Amino acid sequence: MSEYSKNNTVFWILLGIEILALVLVCLNVLPRELVLVSNAIVLFYLIVSPIEDGLFLFVAFIPVLVALPISESFDSLSVGRIFILVLFFKWLLSKKQIKFQRIEILSILLLLTMTLSIIPAIDKIVAIKKIIYLVNLTALIIIVKSTIKDNVVFNKIGKAILISGGIVFLIALIQLIIIYF
């Protein structure tokens, strides 16, 4: 079995586990803490797999990324933010020399400029949350830009986008069927 076939099989198994866990939690069949277990499995895969496979997995999983149940009243920590940070630190550790191009430099400058918005903000917590979103977006831009260097990786990420879109379509179709039937 080739390396791509093994990674492809692992991808579908992880996607199945994540969707199954999400459905069982949404239907109140299993406790919401099950999401922590399924996301820990995906996190382990992101750590041990090549960065391209991790990015493929992240992009395909976007529709099923959930907020982690940290406590009874706090569900606003999206697992996607954690996945991006893991991918970013993995990317950072794999680089011997980091060369930023214009888009990366502009993203970082935008992020630094946006951090100044905390000073006049009335609600500092909301302002900090927005900065956290921008940190994740900047890290994702840097990872995607440096990872997609050839057509093979570009096509693989395109496939992940199609899988992600397919998941969204199926969820919408199921919701439509539930409403009308």
Side-chain angles (χ1 to χ4, degrees), residues 86-103:
V86 167
L87 287 171
F88 181 73
F89 284 120
K90 187 174 178 177
W91 171 83
L92 202 58
L93 292 173
S94 71
K95 297 293 178 190
K96 291 178 179 53
Q97 180 181 11
I98 298 172
K99 291 170 57 176
F100 289 122
Q101 295 182 355
R102 188 181 334 173
I103 188 78

Side-chain angles (χ1 to χ4, degrees), residues 31-100:
R32 61 195 196 122
E33 287 75 19
L34 178 67
V35 173
L36 292 172
V37 175
S38 66
N39 286 324
I41 294 167
V42 174
L43 190 61
F44 177 75
Y45 177 79
L46 290 177
I47 292 170
V48 299
S49 69
I51 190 85
E52 295 86 6
D53 292 343
L55 185 60
F56 174 76
L57 184 83
F58 173 75
V59 170
F61 272 40
I62 287 174
V64 293
L65 295 177
V66 296
L68 294 175
I70 304 300
S71 71
E72 273 308 308
S73 62
F74 183 74
D75 270 354
S76 65
L77 179 62
S78 170
V79 71
R81 292 188 206 125
I82 296 170
F83 290 171
I84 290 172
L85 289 178
V86 167
L87 287 171
F88 181 73
F89 284 120
K90 187 174 178 177
W91 171 83
L92 202 58
L93 292 173
S94 71
K95 297 293 178 190
K96 291 178 179 53
Q97 180 181 11
I98 298 172
K99 291 170 57 176
F100 289 122

Side-chain angles (χ1 to χ4, degrees), residues 8-41:
N8 202 19
T9 304
V10 170
F11 165 78
W12 289 109
I13 291 170
L14 288 174
L15 184 61
I17 289 170
E18 193 72 18
I19 290 174
L20 182 64
L22 187 61
V23 168
L24 292 175
V25 168
C26 286
L27 295 175
N28 287 325
V29 174
L30 291 173
R32 61 195 196 122
E33 287 75 19
L34 178 67
V35 173
L36 292 172
V37 175
S38 66
N39 286 324
I41 294 167

Side-chain angles (χ1 to χ4, degrees), residues 42 77 127 168 171 173:
V42 174
L77 179 62
V168 170
I171 291 170
L173 186 62

